[in-house]
Amino acid sequence: MKQLIRSPVFKRLFRPVLTSSCVIGKRSSHFTYFPDTVPESQGETVRLNLFQSINNALDTALATDNSAVVFGEDVGFGGVFRCTIGLQDKYGKDRVFNTPLCEQGIAGFAIGVAVGGATSIAEMQFADYIFPAFDQIVNEAAKYRYRSGNLFDCGKLTFRAPCGAVGHGALYHSQSPEAYFAHTPGLKIVVPRGPIKAKGLLLSCIRDNNPCIFLEPKVLYRSAVEMVPTQEYTLPLSSADILVEGEDVTLVGWGTQIHVLREVADLARQQLNVSCEVIDLVTILPWDRQTIFNSVKKTGRLVVAHEAPVTNGFGAEIAAAVQSECFLHMEAPVERVCGFDTPFPHIYEPFYLPDKWRCLSAVKKIINY
Amino acid sequence: MAASMFISGAILSRKLLSVRVLSECVRVTNLRCLSSGLVEEQPNFPGSRSKWTESLDFVQPDLYDGIPVYRVMDRKGNIIDPASDPKLDKDTVVKMYQRMTLLNTMDRIMYESQRQGRISFYMTNYGEEGTHIGSAAALDDNDLVYGQYREAGVLMWRGFPLDRFMNQCYGNEGDQGKGRQMPVHYGSTEHNFVTISSPLATQMPQAVGSAYAFKRAQNGQCVICYFGEGTSSEGDAHAAFNFSATLECPVLFFCRNNGYAISTPTSEQYRGDGVAARGPAYGIATIRVDGNDVFAVYNATKAARHITITENRPVLIEAMTYRIGHHSTSDDSSAYRSVDEVRQWDSTQHPIARLRAYMVTQQWWDETQEKAWKDDCKRQVMQSFARAERRHKPSWKEMFTDVYDEVPDHIREQYEYMAAHVAEYEEHYPVKNFVKNE
């Protein structure tokens, strides 16, 4: 009997048949990844995904700054997303270590490390769990320099947290909390779109003299692969990237959404004969207003897209600033394509996300306004 | 399992001729094989290292009488056990006394100044001067201090000038804090005193982080973190205790248990044996002291500091005291406690009175000196006060600086907008009180 079951014939006959209506395997993602490239002048490159490039940036930070320490829940063995793999072995338990399970403690401790003169790199396991640390980040970290008249500061402090939709994360493994923190003067908030940007931006954050929150789109950890320069480099914060130049509509986003918007630009060109300018904001706070204003003054039309819920999402800030600054240049109102005003759902994720069809539809709408 | 380990140990020893391996196996198997049967004597859960019991007993909160209160002096200021007298020299003790009384005098005058509308807010330290001076005197001047808001005596001890206290309260151009915060939110890099912030307990995990950085830097310093018993209820306090122990940080937690958190008495703040009982639960060496006994506070802090520095682990001191004053100038404590209760604490066991009694016994102080010093205190404080009151506020441009290390464009544009607005509507803004913008 055992032999029968093991036979290839048996296996072929009784292979489970799944119809498309009940596939519960891995869903295809809502975006196509558009890798960045670097010119040859950048030197030798190596194929890295997002978590590897982040690991590389952390490795560099630890190698070049003896005071630097990396800590958080489970970072010792490599972290739940492998961003800290190998670092404890390389730099020792006093520099790369686990903390107890307490985000408010991680944040407070992280501030104190920086105030004490060391470079402080704290991981929040998921951006969804950063909220117990909200008081420390908003009331303490952001205000440390201001309230002390610059006697004290926690500038050498960086928080890292995985954020954003991942296909199945639901309410508590998918959030994009940038808007809450963008309302807090004193913080810097940065979101990379891929490995090349991540390495340079994270190193910039770590070396920046202000407390930074580095939000890493978790769905890109493995799927975003680029040829990343092996040498050490930093990239400027507060400088938006014009990825595609265009004449008719400005599309603004950050993180994973950039890849959605790049595809939307292609579809707009193919289907609507519309030329889109795609801009990665890169830094949410302080944000590069000038690049956005210049673009909208040229195109007269703006679509902002983000996964976070539309009401009071960061798109609202961009829309308000743009209409104030570029009013006479606008051909149509600013369109925001965002998550809906619901908690991030599980099974309904395909309906929730600001996908390419909703973004393309928004382009169509304002072109014909 | 145990038997097979014993056997394999024997085999290994034959193969490797290793006495060390054999003894290792014996150590591991311990008494298990030697006792009757192979029953495990100790639980082996990763989470606990205790014993088995077959009695269904709850550990009740009133299991013991409470951690005792360490003291050196009796309520009147007499040394009880001469062996515990720290035998500080005259200059140190006189300095202790003078700093406590100077603080007391400054408090009286600044409280009044708020009542007269000269400053917006103030918090006094009445009754708790002993906790400040006793602990500060036992530390190194380079130990970093994180406070809550009722530790001005620590700054006094370290030599923070009266003018700087006043400047901060007035928010004038002499305030190194640049007028950003309410009164009593002092800070000083030279005196290693981190600027006070209003949210409670936030300083606690920060103190732990700084202690960790000091440990790595091997600078021989510890961090002391002051907080009240009310603050110890905050989540950040739990976080701080836990992190300090697991990450082995040279941090000294100093709890001023003064009986009240604004109007909330300790009976409504906690149900266990105060804050001290929590220390051992986190793996922290703990002591409770009479906070109104300067020498007890001194001795405990000195010993605690030694533990943190030499063993890189935290210590918790719970200093029992009483908040004689109101919570702040926004509070009238007669609304929730009897004037008699306050009067009682103001007249007996007062830290200043007890130290004076000691000094008099030592013949280091007398009525003449007391009167002269009292007058001197008052004069010093009044003069400093007058100087501070006369000074301008800083340029209001400073409202826009230090948000980041450098002023970003959007903030600079906001300043420019406001400068233009103020230029147009100048008569509606208190521009004359402020240093002119450059």
Side-chain angles (χ1 to χ4, degrees):
Chain A
M1 188 62 190
K2 241 191 246 178
Q3 279 193 321
L4 172 64
I5 290 167
R6 283 197 195 133
S7 76
V9 172
F10 187 93
K11 282 187 180 163
R12 208 165 35 244
L13 282 174
F14 293 97
R15 182 171 54 210
V17 174
L18 296 171
T19 61
S20 58
S21 61
C22 62
V23 167
I24 33 176
K26 190 173 156 192
R27 292 198 197 99
S28 58
S29 49
H30 68 290
F31 66 97
T32 305
Y33 188 73
F34 285 72
D36 285 340
T37 54
V38 291
E40 276 194 26
S41 56
Q42 294 292 313
E44 193 191 327
T45 60
V46 63
R47 198 179 143 83
L48 295 180
N49 64 26
L50 182 65
F51 77 72
Q52 290 167 331
S53 78
I54 287 164
N55 184 272
N56 189 229
L58 294 173
D59 196 339
T60 304
L62 290 161
T64 55
D65 177 352
N66 274 325
S67 79
V69 285
V70 172
F71 50 89
E73 294 151 18
D74 302 296
V75 305
F77 86 103
V80 293
F81 291 110
R82 307 206 198 168
C83 293
T84 50
I85 230 171
L87 298 178
Q88 187 173 81
D89 283 343
K90 191 167 176 183
Y91 295 99
K93 259 189 109 167
D94 63 317
R95 296 187 71 189
V96 180
F97 53 92
N98 294 341
T99 63
L101 212 171
C102 179
E103 284 74 14
Q104 68 189 105
I106 290 169
F109 178 86
I111 292 167
V113 166
V115 172
T119 296
S120 183
I121 307 165
E123 178 176 302
M124 296 289 169
Q125 196 157 85
F126 284 86
D128 314 61
Y129 307 138
I130 203 168
F131 301 108
F134 202 69
D135 185 40
Q136 284 283 356
I137 295 172
V138 164
N139 263 339
E140 298 286 316
K143 298 173 169 63
Y144 229 89
R145 189 188 297 277
Y146 187 81
R147 74 187 188 200
S148 69
N150 200 26
L151 291 180
F152 295 93
D153 69 80
C154 56
K156 282 281 179 272
L157 166 58
T158 304
F159 292 106
R160 299 176 36 246
C163 70
V166 70
H168 57 276
L171 288 79
Y172 303 111
H173 299 82
S174 312
Q175 291 179 56
S176 302
E178 67 272 0
Y180 298 109
F181 296 102
H183 193 56
T184 304
L187 297 176
K188 292 199 176 181
I189 306 164
V190 179
V191 189
R193 65 173 178 272
I196 292 169
K197 289 294 289 187
K199 174 172 168 170
L201 291 171
L202 179 53
L203 214 44
S204 287
C205 285
I206 291 168
R207 292 176 179 171
D208 192 277
N209 264 318
N210 299 285
C212 296
I213 302 178
F214 190 75
L215 296 173
E216 304 166 355
K218 66 178 82 67
V219 72
L220 300 181
Y221 275 143
R222 297 173 73 98
S223 62
V225 180
E226 288 167 350
M227 298 305 293
V228 181
T230 54
Q231 67 177 337
E232 179 184 319
Y233 63 94
T234 55
L235 291 171
L237 307 180
S238 294
S239 179
D241 292 339
I242 302 175
L243 298 175
V244 178
E245 284 188 12
E247 302 301 314
D248 302 326
V249 185
T250 303
L251 308 180
V252 175
W254 47 88
T256 312
Q257 195 65 24
I258 284 302
H259 305 283
V260 176
L261 293 178
R262 290 200 64 168
E263 196 171 348
V264 170
D266 286 348
L267 290 169
R269 191 170 24 90
Q270 291 155 19
Q271 295 184 11
L272 310 171
N273 199 27
V274 163
S275 150
C276 293
E277 182 145 289
V278 180
I279 304 180
D280 180 358
L281 197 59
V282 179
T283 300
I284 309 297
L285 187 74
W287 63 284
D288 181 358
R289 293 149 51 94
Q290 213 45 60
T291 300
I292 308 302
F293 293 160
N294 291 347
S295 175
V296 177
K297 283 176 182 171
K298 177 175 72 168
T299 63
R301 296 178 180 85
L302 173 63
V303 176
V304 186
H306 57 65
E307 291 177 12
V310 60
T311 294
N312 226 41
F314 199 68
E317 161 66 22
I318 297 174
V322 160
Q323 64 84 33
S324 175
E325 189 68 24
C326 312
F327 188 75
L328 293 175
H329 300 259
M330 313 264 336
E331 295 292 335
V334 176
E335 272 296 303
R336 291 179 291 158
V337 186
C338 306
F340 297 108
D341 287 337
T342 73
F344 200 109
H346 181 233
I347 214 69
Y348 311 110
E349 181 165 325
F351 296 93
Y352 181 86
L353 288 174
D355 62 25
K356 58 192 166 205
W357 308 117
R358 286 179 56 203
C359 293
L360 185 64
S361 201
V363 170
K364 212 186 283 186
K365 178 179 172 189
I366 60 176
I367 282 293
N368 296 321
Y369 193 78
Chain B
M1 165 74 176
S4 64
M5 283 190 71
F6 188 82
I7 292 164
S8 66
I11 293 169
L12 275 170
S13 76
R14 262 208 307 276
K15 283 194 167 164
L16 303 173
L17 294 171
S18 167
V19 172
R20 197 164 67 84
V21 171
L22 180 62
S23 64
E24 179 70 11
C25 289
V26 168
R27 185 191 69 80
V28 164
T29 53
N30 211 353
L31 296 163
R32 290 175 200 162
C33 296
L34 298 178
S35 65
S36 59
L38 299 171
V39 175
E40 301 276 339
E41 285 302 321
Q42 308 286 344
N44 62 348
F45 301 110
S48 166
R49 45 182 166 79
S50 61
K51 299 198 270 260
W52 294 111
T53 177
E54 284 74 49
S55 342
L56 179 60
D57 290 324
F58 291 93
V59 179
Q60 292 292 351
D62 59 1
L63 171 73
Y64 62 97
D65 284 338
I67 293 172
V69 185
Y70 170 71
R71 64 176 177 174
V72 170
M73 295 188 271
D74 65 19
R75 287 197 170 100
K76 296 221 157 62
N78 305 308
I79 301 285
I80 297 168
D81 176 4
S84 60
D85 181 347
K87 295 200 173 59
L88 299 172
D89 63 81
K90 179 182 173 187
D91 284 346
T92 303
V93 177
V94 169
K95 178 182 170 186
M96 284 175 150
Y97 181 76
Q98 289 184 330
R99 296 294 155 102
M100 288 202 285
T101 46
L102 184 60
L103 173 61
N104 194 275
T105 307
M106 181 178 82
D107 276 353
R108 287 176 200 288
I109 288 168
M110 294 311 282
Y111 187 90
E112 259 317 296
S113 80
Q114 192 278 340
R115 282 289 175 261
Q116 295 169 14
R118 296 166 187 266
I119 61 173
S120 62
F121 175 82
Y122 193 73
M123 299 178 99
T124 58
N125 301 272
Y126 302 144
E128 300 185 49
E129 298 90 345
T131 62
H132 306 173
I133 298 303
S135 56
L139 296 171
D140 188 278
D141 279 350
N142 291 322
D143 291 334
L144 189 61
V145 175
Y146 278 86
Q148 179 169 309
Y149 51 58
R150 219 183 290 280
E151 295 90 13
V154 175
L155 274 170
M156 268 295 178
W157 176 265
R158 287 189 169 180
F160 192 65
L162 281 175
D163 280 1
R164 282 182 64 178
F165 281 109
M166 304 288 175
N167 290 341
Q168 196 283 324
C169 288
Y170 274 95
N172 66 34
E173 48 161 352
D175 175 25
Q176 287 189 359
K178 299 182 190 172
R180 304 260 169 75
Q181 294 207 80
M182 286 168 74
V184 313
H185 289 64
Y186 311 116
S188 173
T189 48
E190 305 101 273
H191 304 94
N192 297 296
F193 190 97
V194 181
T195 302
I196 300 297
S197 72
S198 304
L200 298 178
T202 49
Q203 75 275 19
M204 295 180 72
Q206 291 172 24
V208 177
S210 291
Y212 191 88
F214 283 9
K215 179 172 80 165
R216 284 217 68 242
Q218 296 182 309
N219 63 11
Q221 309 301 146
C222 76
V223 177
I224 187 165
C225 179
Y226 294 91
F227 58 101
E229 88 287 346
T231 292
S232 75
S233 295
E234 284 280 0
D236 272 349
H238 154 76
F241 293 146
N242 201 23
F243 277 53
S244 73
T246 57
L247 301 176
E248 296 167 357
C249 301
V251 60
L252 215 167
F253 293 109
F254 193 103
C255 178
R256 293 177 294 96
N257 187 329
N258 64 13
Y260 290 90
I262 306 188
S263 71
T264 306
T266 54
S267 58
E268 290 171 11
Q269 195 64 247
Y270 54 73
R271 252 341 124 75
D273 175 28
V275 179
R278 303 174 208 170
Y282 287 101
I284 299 175
T286 304
I287 190 167
R288 172 174 279 148
V289 310
D290 177 352
N292 292 355
D293 175 344
V294 175
F295 294 142
V297 173
Y298 177 86
N299 286 351
T301 305
K302 204 159 165 71
R305 183 184 189 276
H306 183 75
I307 295 171
T308 63
I309 293 296
T310 57
E311 298 178 51
N312 277 321
R313 62 186 176 104
V315 179
L316 169 62
I317 296 175
E318 185 181 20
M320 309 309 290
T321 179
Y322 186 85
R323 195 195 76 207
I324 291 173
H326 308 298
H327 166 70
S328 73
T329 47
S330 308
D331 176 48
D332 175 5
S333 62
S334 66
Y336 51 83
R337 61 182 181 177
S338 76
V339 172
D340 281 341
E341 176 188 308
V342 179
R343 197 176 290 133
Q344 216 240 8
W345 281 94
D346 205 358
S347 55
T348 61
Q349 328 184 44
H350 198 290
I352 293 175
R354 284 156 94 187
L355 189 62
R356 185 169 59 240
Y358 175 85
M359 287 164 67
V360 166
T361 307
Q362 303 291 96
Q363 295 176 342
W364 291 343
W365 199 255
D366 62 32
E367 282 297 318
T368 318
Q369 285 167 294
E370 175 71 11
K371 179 162 192 326
W373 173 245
K374 240 187 181 134
D375 291 343
D376 188 6
C377 271
K378 201 161 176 213
R379 183 189 51 78
Q380 281 185 51
V381 174
M382 289 307 301
Q383 283 177 357
S384 177
F385 174 87
R387 278 194 294 273
E389 185 156 86
R390 275 199 301 269
R391 295 181 80 163
H392 278 88
K393 309 305 179 197
S395 155
W396 63 263
K397 189 175 186 178
E398 297 289 3
M399 178 169 75
F400 294 96
T401 55
D402 299 329
V403 179
Y404 296 92
D405 59 339
E406 283 159 17
V407 182
D409 289 343
H410 70 287
I411 296 179
R412 187 181 38 77
E413 283 165 25
Q414 290 171 17
Y415 164 69
E416 283 161 6
Y417 147 81
M418 193 55 184
H421 175 82
V422 170
E424 195 182 330
Y425 289 87
E426 195 172 307
E427 72 266 27
H428 301 291
Y429 292 89
V431 175
K432 286 191 191 60
N433 301 341
F434 290 76
V435 167
K436 207 162 145 63
N437 288 2
E438 263 137 58

